[in-house]
């Protein structure tokens, strides 16, 4: 995943074990585009078999916003951002996870916004953020979307008025869709079909909220990178 942040910002680093670490952006070495980079285990005190799940850039800790977390099995949790305002070198528990589940997405939200979750098999659900109450740091959360046994959540976004939803598949296909095309339901349902999956396009690897002026960088598992403008990707229907 790629992030944009200033040197004075924080990275909130979430691991597959549900722990949270703080990292100041200026502590990360600057490298050339082709450089290998620095192993994050050298920057954080990760435990055995612990790896980074997702990262959230935060400019400052202020009262008001909540941190929304989503897991691969469809659980969603909301916690006051101020609960994470005091860094600890050893990290702290951000989310209680059951065996076989892992964190896949983190975002900041306000009460009046909506949450959208998408799965590998193309199911999408949209529901009001107010349906998820604020919980303590160690709580597991509540069901956001009902996920089939052979499916898993690949992305979660807190919707902004100017955003569209970019869906990218394993074989390199992509589309943008107006989020209002996904009908708003109560949390906990199966959602609606957000993409017609075939052998040609493959399952969904990521859903991402984008705006017209954004640039997108697509990275393959072989290390190839392609950069394109969001405005060059068509806005089409949800299926």
């Amino acid at each position: 995943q790629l992030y944009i942040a200033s040197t004075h910002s924080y990275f909130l680093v979430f691991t597959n074990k549900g722990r949270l670490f703080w990292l100041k952006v200026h502590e990360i070495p600057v490298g050339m585009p082709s450089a290998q980079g620095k192993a994050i285990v050298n920057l954080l005190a990760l435990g055995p078999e612990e790896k980074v799940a997702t990262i959230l850039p935060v400019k400052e800790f202020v009262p008001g916003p909540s941190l929304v977390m989503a897991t691969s099995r469809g659980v969603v949790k909301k916690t006051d951002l101020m609960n994470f305002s005091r860094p600890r070198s050893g990290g702290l528990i951000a989310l209680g996870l059951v065996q076989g589940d892992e964190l896949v997405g983190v975002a900041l939200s306000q009460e009046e916004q909506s949450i959208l979750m998408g799965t590998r098999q193309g199911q999408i659900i949209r529901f009001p953020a107010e349906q998820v109450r604020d919980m303590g740091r160690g709580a597991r959360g509540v069901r956001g979307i009902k996920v089939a046994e052979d499916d898993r959540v690949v992305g979660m976004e807190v919707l902004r008025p100017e955003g569209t939803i970019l869906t990218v598949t394993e074989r390199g296909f992509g589309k943008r869709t107006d989020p209002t095309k996904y009908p708003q339901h109560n949390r906990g349902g199966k959602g609606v079909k957000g993409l017609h999956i075939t052998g040609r396009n493959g399952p969904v690897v990521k859903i991402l909220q984008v705006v017209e002026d954004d640039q997108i960088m697509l990275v393959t598992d072989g290390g190839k990178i392609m950069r394109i403008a969001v405005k060059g990707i068509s806005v089409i229907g949800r299926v």
Side-chain angles (χ1 to χ4, degrees):
Q1 295 178 343
L2 299 165
Y3 308 93
I4 297 172
S6 73
T7 53
H8 299 292
S9 298
Y10 289 88
F11 274 148
L12 300 186
V13 183
F14 297 84
T15 76
N16 61 325
K17 304 287 188 183
R19 284 207 299 166
L20 165 65
F21 292 88
W22 290 258
L23 194 59
K24 292 181 180 176
V25 171
H26 68 78
E27 296 173 346
I28 302 170
V30 177
M32 297 296 290
S34 58
Q36 186 176 355
K38 189 178 181 71
I40 203 162
V41 293
N42 296 328
L43 302 173
L44 303 172
L46 300 181
E49 300 181 8
E50 192 169 24
K51 61 182 180 180
V52 173
T54 190
I55 295 173
L56 179 71
V58 173
K59 189 174 294 184
E60 59 181 343
F61 292 90
V62 293
S66 293
L67 207 59
V68 178
M69 293 166 264
T71 77
S72 64
R73 297 307 304 160
V75 172
V76 64
K77 175 188 170 181
K78 191 166 66 172
T79 303
D80 191 322
L81 177 63
M82 294 303 290
N83 287 338
F84 303 104
S85 61
R86 296 183 179 180
R88 295 181 190 172
S89 58
L92 52 79
I93 296 295
L95 175 70
L97 293 170
V98 299
Q99 189 171 1
D101 202 1
E102 61 181 10
L103 198 64
V104 295
V106 181
L108 291 171
S109 83
Q110 303 281 357
E111 279 297 316
E112 65 276 7
Q113 292 178 290
S114 294
I115 296 171
L116 184 140
M117 301 173 74
T119 77
R120 183 172 169 80
Q121 296 301 325
Q123 291 297 114
I124 298 275
I125 193 168
R126 178 168 72 97
F127 56 88
E130 63 187 23
Q131 290 192 354
V132 184
R133 62 178 179 83
D134 273 14
M135 304 176 192
R137 285 202 311 252
R140 179 169 178 259
V142 294
R143 178 180 286 173
I145 183 171
K146 191 173 184 179
V147 182
E149 276 302 314
D150 60 346
D151 201 2
R152 62 183 176 86
V153 174
V154 293
M156 179 274 298
E157 291 287 341
V158 174
L159 300 178
R160 304 188 302 272
E162 71 280 11
T164 55
I165 297 300
L166 172 68
T167 304
V168 182
T169 73
E170 202 168 74
R171 302 299 303 164
F173 283 71
K175 66 161 186 169
R176 285 194 295 146
T177 301
D178 183 336
T180 61
K181 299 297 183 183
Y182 305 108
Q184 183 152 286
H185 293 135
N186 292 326
R187 67 164 182 84
K190 293 181 179 179
V192 297
K193 180 178 282 191
L195 182 77
H196 182 59
I197 295 173
T198 67
R200 183 165 172 255
N201 60 6
V204 178
V205 292
K206 190 70 179 175
I207 64 161
L208 193 66
Q209 184 172 209
V210 294
V211 295
E212 198 73 12
D213 294 333
D214 279 344
Q215 300 276 325
I216 292 296
M217 295 182 77
L218 298 168
V219 187
T220 74
D221 56 3
K224 291 185 178 180
I225 295 180
M226 179 179 180
R227 175 183 163 195
I228 55 176
V230 161
K231 64 181 67 173
I233 305 171
S234 300
V235 178
I236 54 181
R238 68 175 176 88
V239 181

